[in-house]
Amino acid sequence: MAWNREQMAARAAKELRDGYYVNLGIGIPTLVANMIPAGIEVTLQSENGMLGMGPFPYEGEEDADLINAGKQTITDLPKTSYFSSADSFGMIRGGHINLSILGGMQVSQSGDLANWMVPGKMIKGMGGAMDLVAGVPRVVVVMDHCEKGGDPKFKKACSLPLTGKGVVDLLITELGVFEIDRKGAGARLIQLADGVSLDDIRARTEAEFSVAL
């Protein structure tokens, strides 16, 4: 057993704090918008120029003109405001976003993140991830623990081009949760997913980590 995508997003949602301004990356992190804990009010920000995003719309209620940075249809709220992408990145670069929850292709044991390109594959652009990891004080990454072929994605050192070096504070996969010390103390396993053993994680992880369960 292991967590599914919704359970991974729900675990990431536990990192939200009341009053936070939060940016959600493409993929599993977008699911966090529908899993904000009761009693917690956060304001979701999108790089394409939106502050105060609502949850995903129900089927049949989508507005094709209302999208997030990943081009997914979303909803707005009474408090929603709209502005240019330049202003949006000004918020990010100026340190006004408290938390970013991103997807990842690889994470290293020292907190390096690779999530923007695979050499040899065409991409549309680097997106906002480099700005987010540089301008946001806390970064949570949610990703699959291994590639489809079985190779670990939590590694001693990333082999893909880096988005940022020493930028990840927390890594959530379907197998568990790791705290990462940006200052060099390394990674620490702090939670196992349902039905997952420590041996399961060790067998599927290249990175070195300590255990604090």
Side-chain angles (χ1 to χ4, degrees), residues 76-151:
D76 58 4
L77 302 168
K79 68 177 182 179
T80 301
S81 58
Y82 303 91
F83 35 84
S84 73
S85 180
D87 289 332
S88 182
F89 275 93
M91 292 177 187
I92 294 167
R93 294 167 182 165
H96 302 291
I97 306 301
N98 302 104
L99 172 69
S100 185
I101 302 176
L102 302 173
M105 295 176 182
Q106 292 178 348
V107 171
S108 81
Q109 63 194 36
S110 59
D112 301 342
L113 172 65
N115 77 342
W116 74 281
M117 74 166 296
V118 176
K121 290 191 176 182
M122 185 177 293
I123 60 168
K124 296 178 180 178
M126 67 178 62
M130 290 183 181
D131 294 274
L132 288 165
V133 299
V136 178
R138 182 166 173 80
V139 174
V140 173
V141 171
V142 186
M143 70 177 190
D144 292 331
H145 204 87
C146 295
E147 303 279 0
K148 291 181 180 178
D151 291 336

Side-chain angles (χ1 to χ4, degrees), residues 2-21:
W3 286 331
N4 58 30
R5 289 167 58 91
E6 287 73 22
Q7 289 170 315
M8 292 162 68
R11 176 59 184 83
K14 292 183 179 180
E15 299 302 308
L16 302 174
R17 299 292 181 268
D18 195 46
Y20 266 18
Y21 289 87

Side-chain angles (χ1 to χ4, degrees), residues 12-107:
K14 292 183 179 180
E15 299 302 308
L16 302 174
R17 299 292 181 268
D18 195 46
Y20 266 18
Y21 289 87
V22 181
N23 183 286
L24 302 179
I26 297 169
I28 298 174
T30 59
L31 301 176
V32 174
N34 288 41
M35 297 183 178
I36 298 172
I40 296 290
E41 182 172 347
V42 300
T43 302
L44 301 179
Q45 188 255 17
S46 183
E47 298 102 298
N48 59 328
M50 188 174 180
L51 187 67
M53 289 189 297
F56 283 117
Y58 291 108
E59 189 173 350
E61 298 181 3
E62 301 92 343
D63 180 348
D65 291 326
L66 199 57
I67 60 173
N68 62 16
K71 299 182 175 60
Q72 297 169 304
T73 53
I74 51 176
T75 61
D76 58 4
L77 302 168
K79 68 177 182 179
T80 301
S81 58
Y82 303 91
F83 35 84
S84 73
S85 180
D87 289 332
S88 182
F89 275 93
M91 292 177 187
I92 294 167
R93 294 167 182 165
H96 302 291
I97 306 301
N98 302 104
L99 172 69
S100 185
I101 302 176
L102 302 173
M105 295 176 182
Q106 292 178 348
V107 171

